[in-house]
Amino acid sequence: MSKLVTIYGGSGFVGRYIARRMAKQGWRVRVAVRRPNEALFVKPYGAVGQVEPILCNIRDDNSVRAAMQGADAVVNCVGVLNSIGKNSFDAVHHDGAGRVARIASEEGVGQLVQLSAIGANADSDSEYARTKAQGEEDVQAAFPGAVILRPSVIFGTDDQFFNRFANMTRFGPILPITGGNTKFQPVHVDDVAKAAEMAILGQVEAGIYELGGPDVETLRESIDRMLKVTQRRRLVLNLPFGIARIQAGIFDMIQWISGGLIASPLTRDQVTNLGYDNVVAEDAKGFADLGITPRAMAAILPDYLWRFRAGGQYAAIQNSAKNLRTDG
């Protein structure tokens, strides 16, 4: 019988790419998610019955253990960008990661891959970064052979980075940002999935790997790149951190009053994170150690940001027609 991998959060942005890769490897893939009915799109990644979404709550021991039964490898991709209700940073990034690792050890799982993030720091004033680091510590304590992947900001067709800012350009001539001088090292989602695939297959030594693409840019430079690809002109307004914190505080208050029904578009914790560069450390292991050459943004962004151009998929045709009229 083919091997089995359980991917917690396997229908998410990164998880679905890992699921697709493992299906191509001939593995059976169990996609453990809170809402399996919303993850049915993963089933065609493999042959009939090869990829199956199942119900799992990472906050519950019995649920995590049931999803792991018979698994040869486990990947934890569960993460949140906004701490809401029971799905808090501590419950998901810290306790959830530790729970998966502890149960994986008890169940005798062969390989464990934990998806973390660059900037994970137990002493950080950001709860997101602090709980990511605490989760890493628990994972390594319970499962010393684990591979921990720390990507920088991840880009790809369904990302929450370039797509978010590109969508904002539709609503006015001004594009407000915060942390315009903060450096990022965007990494393509499938490059991260490739690293996870290698770890699942036992081709990676245990430890922490920081994953960043070939381009290091400030947030402002990445926004300018996005505007060029989408062929839009916008006034990029870099708001001071003080003003951003005030705005985020108001958004957080609305989120709290609504009981999480109205999610904050910008939280105070996110503003805090924007104050720190998000790039691979000089002494960190990374893609070079894995033998992976990460893809550049220039080769990928036009493939999915074209839909934000004024003419959408017809923008190129319209530009060609204008050039013909000019030449004529």
Side-chain angles (χ1 to χ4, degrees):
M1 181 178 290
S2 59
K3 290 188 174 182
L4 170 66
V5 59
T6 295
I7 307 176
Y8 295 93
S11 66
F13 179 40
V14 180
R16 68 185 67 176
Y17 279 81
I18 300 174
R20 185 183 292 113
R21 279 185 167 272
M22 295 315 299
K24 290 182 178 179
Q25 286 285 351
W27 284 49
R28 290 177 294 136
V29 182
R30 188 179 289 159
V31 175
V33 293
R34 286 189 298 158
R35 302 182 182 89
N37 287 340
E38 296 179 9
L40 296 177
F41 62 86
V42 302
K43 292 172 72 70
Y45 290 173
V48 176
Q50 184 183 2
V51 183
E52 289 293 338
I54 65 168
L55 176 66
C56 179
N57 185 343
I58 200 173
R59 303 194 311 270
D60 179 77
D61 272 33
N62 292 331
S63 183
V64 170
R65 192 181 300 276
M68 201 181 294
Q69 290 297 307
D72 298 282
V74 167
V75 184
N76 180 24
C77 294
V78 181
V80 292
L81 294 174
N82 191 349
S83 185
I84 300 178
K86 294 181 178 180
N87 291 311
S88 65
F89 288 137
D90 193 61
V92 175
H93 297 161
H94 182 194
D95 294 340
R99 178 176 293 109
V100 170
R102 171 174 53 82
I103 294 176
S105 180
E106 293 170 355
E107 293 294 322
V109 172
Q111 304 292 338
L112 172 63
V113 182
Q114 169 70 23
L115 193 70
S116 186
I118 285 181
N121 183 348
D123 298 321
S124 176
D125 51 355
S126 160
E127 189 178 2
Y128 174 90
R130 189 168 59 250
T131 54
K132 281 287 189 181
Q134 291 168 338
E136 290 181 359
E137 292 174 1
D138 285 1
V139 167
Q140 290 184 309
F143 204 109
V147 173
I148 298 175
L149 304 178
R150 289 180 175 177
S152 182
V153 61
I154 304 175
F155 70 93
T157 304
D158 301 314
D159 68 47
Q160 297 183 44
F161 185 67
F162 286 111
N163 278 302
R164 180 178 182 180
F165 285 112
N167 189 54
M168 289 170 62
T169 64
R170 293 171 165 174
F171 303 107
I174 300 176
L175 182 59
I177 64 172
T178 299
N181 295 321
T182 301
K183 295 179 180 179
F184 293 88
Q185 196 169 349
V187 57
H188 188 247
V189 59
D190 196 49
D191 292 332
V192 177
K194 173 62 177 177
E197 175 190 14
M198 292 177 63
I200 295 169
L201 296 176
Q203 301 170 354
V204 178
E205 294 183 0
I208 297 175
Y209 295 80
E210 297 197 349
L211 308 180
D215 305 302
V216 175
E217 295 182 341
T218 64
L219 176 59
R220 173 59 189 265
E221 289 170 339
S222 290
I223 295 300
D224 288 341
R225 179 189 290 272
M226 176 274 295
L227 290 172
K228 184 176 180 180
V229 173
T230 58
Q231 300 175 0
R232 289 181 181 270
R233 292 185 179 180
R234 294 293 182 268
L235 174 61
V236 181
L237 184 61
N238 188 25
L239 298 177
F241 280 100
I243 294 177
R245 289 191 183 95
I246 294 174
Q247 288 184 331
I250 295 173
F251 291 142
D252 284 350
M253 180 64 68
I254 294 173
Q255 177 176 288
W256 180 77
I257 293 175
S258 68
L261 294 177
I262 303 176
S264 175
L266 178 68
T267 68
R268 284 171 292 184
D269 198 75
Q270 289 169 354
V271 173
T272 298
N273 268 317
L274 285 170
Y276 300 97
D277 289 341
N278 196 269
V279 298
V280 174
E282 292 184 1
D283 59 346
K285 292 190 292 186
F287 280 128
D289 300 275
L290 302 175
I292 297 175
T293 301
R295 281 164 280 191
M297 289 183 283
I300 304 294
L301 295 184
D303 289 343
Y304 67 95
L305 290 183
W306 57 263
R307 63 194 182 93
F308 294 102
R309 295 171 182 166
Q313 62 182 318
Y314 303 108
I317 298 175
Q318 292 173 348
N319 288 335
S320 296
K322 290 179 181 179
N323 291 334
L324 286 175
R325 287 197 297 268
T326 301
D327 293 341

mmCIF file of all heavy atoms in Angstrom, residues 130-148:
data_model
loop_
_atom_site.group_PDB
_atom_site.id
_atom_site.type_symbol
_atom_site.label_atom_id
_atom_site.label_comp_id
_atom_site.label_asym_id
_atom_site.label_seq_id
_atom_site.Cartn_x
_atom_site.Cartn_y
_atom_site.Cartn_z
ATOM 1 N N ARG A 130 6.117 35.703 18.462
ATOM 2 C CA ARG A 130 6.449 35.038 19.732
ATOM 3 C C ARG A 130 5.846 33.634 19.798
ATOM 4 O O ARG A 130 6.525 32.667 20.175
ATOM 5 C CB ARG A 130 5.944 35.888 20.902
ATOM 6 C CG ARG A 130 6.423 35.419 22.253
ATOM 7 C CD ARG A 130 6.139 36.464 23.328
ATOM 8 N NE ARG A 130 4.726 36.779 23.460
ATOM 9 C CZ ARG A 130 4.191 37.936 23.089
ATOM 10 N NH1 ARG A 130 4.952 38.868 22.536
ATOM 11 N NH2 ARG A 130 2.893 38.174 23.250
ATOM 12 N N THR A 131 4.590 33.491 19.413
ATOM 13 C CA THR A 131 3.941 32.175 19.479
ATOM 14 C C THR A 131 4.482 31.229 18.406
ATOM 15 O O THR A 131 4.508 30.016 18.610
ATOM 16 C CB THR A 131 2.425 32.307 19.344
ATOM 17 O OG1 THR A 131 2.096 33.039 18.140
ATOM 18 C CG2 THR A 131 1.833 33.034 20.540
ATOM 19 N N LYS A 132 4.911 31.777 17.264
ATOM 20 C CA LYS A 132 5.552 30.936 16.251
ATOM 21 C C LYS A 132 6.820 30.303 16.829
ATOM 22 O O LYS A 132 7.088 29.111 16.632
ATOM 23 C CB LYS A 132 5.896 31.765 15.017
ATOM 24 C CG LYS A 132 4.737 32.043 14.075
ATOM 25 C CD LYS A 132 4.336 30.786 13.303
ATOM 26 C CE LYS A 132 3.340 31.093 12.211
ATOM 27 N NZ LYS A 132 2.924 29.879 11.456
ATOM 28 N N ALA A 133 7.608 31.098 17.554
ATOM 29 C CA ALA A 133 8.844 30.599 18.152
ATOM 30 C C ALA A 133 8.547 29.586 19.252
ATOM 31 O O ALA A 133 9.223 28.555 19.372
ATOM 32 C CB ALA A 133 9.659 31.757 18.715
ATOM 33 N N GLN A 134 7.532 29.861 20.056
ATOM 34 C CA GLN A 134 7.160 28.932 21.120
ATOM 35 C C GLN A 134 6.696 27.601 20.538
ATOM 36 O O GLN A 134 7.001 26.531 21.079
ATOM 37 C CB GLN A 134 6.062 29.553 21.987
ATOM 38 C CG GLN A 134 6.548 30.739 22.806
ATOM 39 C CD GLN A 134 5.413 31.533 23.438
ATOM 40 O OE1 GLN A 134 4.263 31.474 22.984
ATOM 41 N NE2 GLN A 134 5.726 32.282 24.472
ATOM 42 N N GLY A 135 5.990 27.672 19.412
ATOM 43 C CA GLY A 135 5.569 26.454 18.738
ATOM 44 C C GLY A 135 6.766 25.663 18.241
ATOM 45 O O GLY A 135 6.812 24.427 18.358
ATOM 46 N N GLU A 136 7.750 26.360 17.672
ATOM 47 C CA GLU A 136 8.963 25.692 17.198
ATOM 48 C C GLU A 136 9.673 24.967 18.344
ATOM 49 O O GLU A 136 10.144 23.828 18.189
ATOM 50 C CB GLU A 136 9.919 26.714 16.580
ATOM 51 C CG GLU A 136 9.465 27.305 15.267
ATOM 52 C CD GLU A 136 10.468 28.285 14.690
ATOM 53 O OE1 GLU A 136 11.521 28.514 15.326
ATOM 54 O OE2 GLU A 136 10.211 28.824 13.604
ATOM 55 N N GLU A 137 9.767 25.628 19.495
ATOM 56 C CA GLU A 137 10.436 25.028 20.647
ATOM 57 C C GLU A 137 9.734 23.743 21.081
ATOM 58 O O GLU A 137 10.385 22.728 21.376
ATOM 59 C CB GLU A 137 10.482 26.029 21.796
ATOM 60 C CG GLU A 137 11.386 27.227 21.532
ATOM 61 C CD GLU A 137 11.295 28.271 22.626
ATOM 62 O OE1 GLU A 137 10.530 28.042 23.608
ATOM 63 O OE2 GLU A 137 11.966 29.314 22.524
ATOM 64 N N ASP A 138 8.415 23.777 21.120
ATOM 65 C CA ASP A 138 7.651 22.590 21.519
ATOM 66 C C ASP A 138 7.793 21.470 20.497
ATOM 67 O O ASP A 138 7.859 20.289 20.850
ATOM 68 C CB ASP A 138 6.171 22.950 21.701
ATOM 69 C CG ASP A 138 5.923 23.721 22.997
ATOM 70 O OD1 ASP A 138 6.904 23.982 23.724
ATOM 71 O OD2 ASP A 138 4.755 24.058 23.261
ATOM 72 N N VAL A 139 7.838 21.839 19.228
ATOM 73 C CA VAL A 139 7.990 20.842 18.168
ATOM 74 C C VAL A 139 9.329 20.141 18.298
ATOM 75 O O VAL A 139 9.415 18.901 18.254
ATOM 76 C CB VAL A 139 7.865 21.495 16.771
ATOM 77 C CG1 VAL A 139 8.345 20.544 15.680
ATOM 78 C CG2 VAL A 139 6.414 21.895 16.503
ATOM 79 N N GLN A 140 10.392 20.900 18.464
ATOM 80 C CA GLN A 140 11.722 20.301 18.558
ATOM 81 C C GLN A 140 11.897 19.482 19.835
ATOM 82 O O GLN A 140 12.616 18.482 19.848
ATOM 83 C CB GLN A 140 12.795 21.390 18.479
ATOM 84 C CG GLN A 140 12.899 22.029 17.095
ATOM 85 C CD GLN A 140 14.025 23.027 16.985
ATOM 86 O OE1 GLN A 140 14.141 23.923 17.823
ATOM 87 N NE2 GLN A 140 14.850 22.911 15.969
ATOM 88 N N ALA A 141 11.213 19.886 20.908
ATOM 89 C CA ALA A 141 11.298 19.140 22.159
ATOM 90 C C ALA A 141 10.597 17.783 22.046
ATOM 91 O O ALA A 141 11.097 16.770 22.540
ATOM 92 C CB ALA A 141 10.693 19.953 23.300
ATOM 93 N N ALA A 142 9.441 17.782 21.394
ATOM 94 C CA ALA A 142 8.656 16.545 21.278
ATOM 95 C C ALA A 142 9.118 15.667 20.129
ATOM 96 O O ALA A 142 9.005 14.442 20.184
ATOM 97 C CB ALA A 142 7.178 16.890 21.104
ATOM 98 N N PHE A 143 9.648 16.278 19.070
ATOM 99 C CA PHE A 143 10.022 15.547 17.852
ATOM 100 C C PHE A 143 11.349 16.105 17.337
ATOM 101 O O PHE A 143 11.373 16.944 16.428
ATOM 102 C CB PHE A 143 8.927 15.713 16.791
ATOM 103 C CG PHE A 143 8.866 14.624 15.762
ATOM 104 C CD1 PHE A 143 7.823 13.707 15.755
ATOM 105 C CD2 PHE A 143 9.849 14.511 14.790
ATOM 106 C CE1 PHE A 143 7.749 12.706 14.798
ATOM 107 C CE2 PHE A 143 9.802 13.520 13.830
ATOM 108 C CZ PHE A 143 8.738 12.604 13.831
ATOM 109 N N PRO A 144 12.468 15.682 17.923
ATOM 110 C CA PRO A 144 13.784 16.240 17.563
ATOM 111 C C PRO A 144 14.130 16.119 16.079
ATOM 112 O O PRO A 144 14.933 16.898 15.567
ATOM 113 C CB PRO A 144 14.754 15.416 18.422
ATOM 114 C CG PRO A 144 13.934 14.943 19.577
ATOM 115 C CD PRO A 144 12.574 14.679 19.006
ATOM 116 N N GLY A 145 13.547 15.168 15.380
ATOM 117 C CA GLY A 145 13.854 14.982 13.962
ATOM 118 C C GLY A 145 13.025 15.827 13.029
ATOM 119 O O GLY A 145 13.085 15.651 11.803
ATOM 120 N N ALA A 146 12.253 16.774 13.586
ATOM 121 C CA ALA A 146 11.367 17.593 12.758
ATOM 122 C C ALA A 146 12.144 18.547 11.864
ATOM 123 O O ALA A 146 13.247 18.998 12.197
ATOM 124 C CB ALA A 146 10.414 18.397 13.643
ATOM 125 N N VAL A 147 11.545 18.861 10.710
ATOM 126 C CA VAL A 147 12.066 19.886 9.801
ATOM 127 C C VAL A 147 11.144 21.085 9.912
ATOM 128 O O VAL A 147 9.935 20.971 9.698
ATOM 129 C CB VAL A 147 12.118 19.390 8.349
ATOM 130 C CG1 VAL A 147 12.491 20.535 7.400
ATOM 131 C CG2 VAL A 147 13.120 18.244 8.208
ATOM 132 N N ILE A 148 11.697 22.232 10.271
ATOM 133 C CA ILE A 148 10.914 23.456 10.438
ATOM 134 C C ILE A 148 11.262 24.415 9.308
ATOM 135 O O ILE A 148 12.425 24.750 9.101
ATOM 136 C CB ILE A 148 11.199 24.107 11.803
ATOM 137 C CG1 ILE A 148 10.777 23.160 12.934
ATOM 138 C CG2 ILE A 148 10.477 25.445 11.922
ATOM 139 C CD1 ILE A 148 11.134 23.656 14.322
#
